Amino acid sequence: MEAPPTAPPPPTAPVPLGALLPDRELGLRHLAGPAEADVHGVHASEMADPSPYLLGGELLLTAGAGLGTDPDGYVARLAEAGVAALGFGVAPVHERVPAGLAEACAHHGLPLLEVPPGTPFSAVARTVWRLMAGARTRELRRVTEAQQSLAAAAARPDPVPAVLSRLAASLGGHVTLRPDDRSAGSPPPAEAAAALRALLARVGRAGGPATATDQAGGWHLTAHALGGPAPAAEAAAEVAADAAPESVSASVSEPRAEAVRALGTATPARAPGDHTIASVAAVLLTLLTAHRAASGPEAAALTRLLLDGDPAAALSPGPWHVVHARGAGDPQALAAALGTVLVDPRGDPVRLLTEREPGARPGWRLGVSAPAAPGGLPAADAQARRALERAEAARTPLARHAAPGFSGLVGEAEARAHAAALLAPLSPVLRETLRGWLAHHGGWDRTAAALGVHRNTVRQRVARCAELLGRDLDDPDTRMELWFALRWEEPAPGLPGPGG
C-alpha cells in the first residue's frame, strides 16, 4: 500500500492575463496578439535575446532598448522561448509602441501589452505576485476542504460511492472505478470516455505505470492504480465485458491477465491541486476495496493522519529514518527491500519512511536521515534531502546525515546565527542556486540540470552571489565556509533545490 499522501502543496496557479487588464492603477492596454494567456512569472530585460534567461510562461517587460531593427526576429525568439506575453513600456526609449512590433506579435500569436509611462515595471510584477499568492491560498484551502470531505465520506455506511461522489464534486468532473463499473459526476464526451478507458487499462499492469495522464476532446484525464489485482470474479466480469464476441472462445482456453482496480478522473479543466485530491481518494479507495478488510498499523496510521492531520499521532514511536532516493528501479521494490510500505513514489526524489536501518541498494542513490521520532520527521526529511545531495555530488550509493564532524564542532544556535549573517545579502533564489552549485562542485551544466534552469542563468546568479558577498567563490576556504552556512540555512518553501 502506498504511504499516506504527503505531497508538497499544489503548485501556484498561473495568473490569467485578463486579470491584469482591468487594473486601473496599472493602466495596461492590449494592443496585439491573443487577449488571454497564463502568466507564471514576470521578467524585465533589455537584451536583444533574453530567451536563455527565461523558463517560459513569463510576462516579459521591456522598454525596447534591445529591440533593434528586426522586431519580427525578436518576437520569434520570445515565442519560441514560451513567453506568455510582452509588456512594452513607452516613453523611456520609444514614444509609442513600434508598429512593426505589434505586427510581429500578431503574426507569432504573442500577446502585446502597452505599459504607460506612469506605471513602473515593479508595480506590474507586484500585482502578478499578489494575484498568484491569492490563487495559491485559495487552492490550498480547496485541497484541505476536499481532503476533509473525502475522509468524512470514507466513514459513511456505503463508503465507496460516497468517496466517488465527493471526488467528482471536488474536481468538478467525472470519476469512475474499474472493474467495479461505479462512477459519479457528469459523463465526459465519447472521445474523452474512450481515452479514459484506454488509460485505465494501462495502469497497474506488469511493467506499466502506477499513474497516467492524457487529454482528449478538451478534457483532462488521469488514472490511478489501486493496489493489486481485483478478485477473480470481478476480473472475469471485466474480461467478459471488454472482450469482443469473436475472442470469447479464446478467452476460455487462454490465460488472461487479472483485472487491476483503477480510479479514473475526467475534468473539463485542470487545477494545480487536483492531483493531490485524486491521490488522497486513490489511497482511501485502495483501503476500502482491498481483498481483505483494511487492518494493521498502516491502515490505522492513514486513518489517523487523514482525520487528525497529526503524523506524530499516526505513527509508532520509532525511531524512524527518512530516505530520499533516486534511481531507475521500482520504488515499491525499494520499499520492500528497506522493510517498509511507507513510500511516496510520485515525486523526485522518491521518499520513504522506515524503522529499519537503511543500507545501500543496487541501482539507487540514497540519502538517509538521522533516527527521529515522529515529531521530528520534517527536520529528518530535510536531513535526508541534504544527504542525497552529498551522495550525488560524491557519486556514492548512500550518504547519511552526520551531525558529528565539522558541523558538529559548532553549537546549533551559533552556527545558525553565523549562517544568517553570512547569507543575509542573498535572496532565497540566490541561496538555492549557490547551494546547488556548491553541491555539484561548481559544475555549470550539472547545476543547471538539477535546478531546471539554463546554464547561463546559473552563471549569472553565481556571479551575483560573489558580488553581493564580496567573496572569491574560487577560493576553497570560501566555498567551505559557504557550504557550512548553507547546511544550516533551510531552503525557502516552493523553491527548486539542487535535486530538482
Side-chain angles (χ1 to χ4, degrees):
M1 187 193 75
E2 287 187 355
T6 56
T12 302
V15 174
L17 188 63
L20 298 174
L21 296 176
D23 193 319
R24 295 183 177 180
E25 293 185 3
L26 296 180
L28 304 179
R29 188 162 64 98
H30 176 249
L31 298 181
E36 284 299 334
D38 290 335
V39 177
H40 293 265
V42 180
H43 184 75
S45 176
E46 299 302 327
M47 298 179 64
D49 182 13
S51 57
Y53 302 95
L54 302 175
L55 299 177
E58 295 91 349
L59 168 59
L60 180 67
L61 302 175
T62 182
L67 185 60
T69 59
D70 182 20
D72 187 81
Y74 175 79
V75 173
R77 291 189 291 272
L78 299 185
E80 185 178 357
V83 169
L86 176 63
F88 194 91
V90 297
V93 180
H94 298 267
E95 292 298 326
R96 61 182 61 84
V97 178
L101 182 63
E103 294 174 358
C105 286
H107 174 70
H108 291 281
L110 181 68
L112 175 63
L113 306 181
E114 179 188 78
V115 183
T119 300
F121 285 175
S122 59
V124 179
R126 280 200 301 266
T127 300
V128 170
W129 302 134
R130 175 176 55 80
L131 292 173
M132 292 180 73
R136 182 174 180 81
T137 299
R138 290 190 296 271
E139 189 67 5
L140 286 171
R141 185 181 299 116
R142 184 180 78 92
V143 170
T144 300
E145 292 172 352
Q147 289 176 323
Q148 293 172 346
S149 64
L150 287 169
R156 297 184 62 178
D158 196 2
V160 172
V163 169
L164 291 175
S165 178
R166 175 42 49 192
L167 178 61
S170 297
L171 299 181
H174 174 81
V175 300
T176 185
L177 183 64
R178 297 289 304 273
D180 306 61
D181 287 329
R182 297 189 182 188
S183 60
S186 302
E191 179 185 355
L196 182 59
R197 286 194 296 270
L199 201 65
L200 286 166
R202 288 176 50 200
V203 297
R205 308 286 184 183
T211 63
T213 62
D214 198 1
Q215 292 189 40
W219 283 58
H220 300 263
L221 314 174
T222 69
H224 300 253
L226 304 184
E234 295 180 5
E238 184 192 41
V239 169
D242 291 344
E246 59 271 18
S247 65
V248 172
S249 59
S251 68
V252 174
S253 58
E254 296 178 6
R256 299 297 300 266
E258 289 186 287
V260 176
R261 270 210 173 89
L263 170 68
T265 72
T267 56
R270 181 74 172 166
D274 285 355
H275 177 77
T276 301
I277 295 171
S279 297
V280 171
V283 174
L284 286 172
L285 290 168
T286 297
L287 291 172
L288 296 171
T289 61
H291 301 187
R292 55 182 173 78
S295 60
E298 295 84 17
L302 174 62
T303 302
R304 288 195 297 270
L305 180 60
L306 288 174
L307 296 179
D308 302 331
D310 184 0
L315 298 173
S316 66
W320 294 88
H321 295 272
V322 178
V323 180
H324 282 208
R326 280 201 180 91
D330 179 8
Q332 299 296 345
L334 174 64
L338 296 181
T340 182
V341 297
L342 301 179
V343 54
D344 180 5
R346 297 180 298 273
D348 180 22
V350 173
R351 299 193 300 172
L352 306 97
L353 194 59
T354 178
E355 290 183 285
R356 182 184 298 180
E357 180 73 23
R361 303 303 307 172
W364 290 91
R365 187 159 283 148
L366 307 181
V368 181
S369 74
L377 291 181
D381 187 56
Q383 293 174 1
R385 173 181 50 76
R386 290 192 291 265
L388 179 58
E389 292 170 7
R390 295 199 307 275
E392 291 182 322
R395 299 185 180 182
T396 59
L398 184 145
R400 302 180 186 275
H401 174 75
F406 179 69
S407 61
L409 298 177
V410 182
E412 178 177 347
E414 184 179 357
R416 292 192 182 279
H418 173 74
L422 179 61
L423 302 174
L426 304 184
S427 68
V429 170
L430 292 179
R431 295 183 191 187
E432 288 308 294
T433 302
L434 183 59
R435 187 195 309 273
W437 183 71
L438 291 173
H440 292 90
H441 303 285
W444 304 111
D445 291 331
R446 292 177 61 196
T447 305
L451 292 173
V453 299
H454 195 278
R455 69 193 306 272
N456 289 344
T457 301
V458 177
R459 288 182 177 275
Q460 182 188 45
R461 291 178 182 175
V462 171
R464 182 62 174 159
C465 290
E467 177 184 353
L468 291 173
L469 294 172
R471 301 288 188 97
D472 178 10
L473 299 188
D474 291 329
D475 185 339
D477 289 336
T478 298
R479 291 194 183 192
M480 179 183 68
E481 184 179 11
L482 289 172
W483 181 249
F484 174 85
L486 286 165
R487 290 186 61 187
W488 287 103
E489 176 70 19
E490 291 295 334
L495 288 174

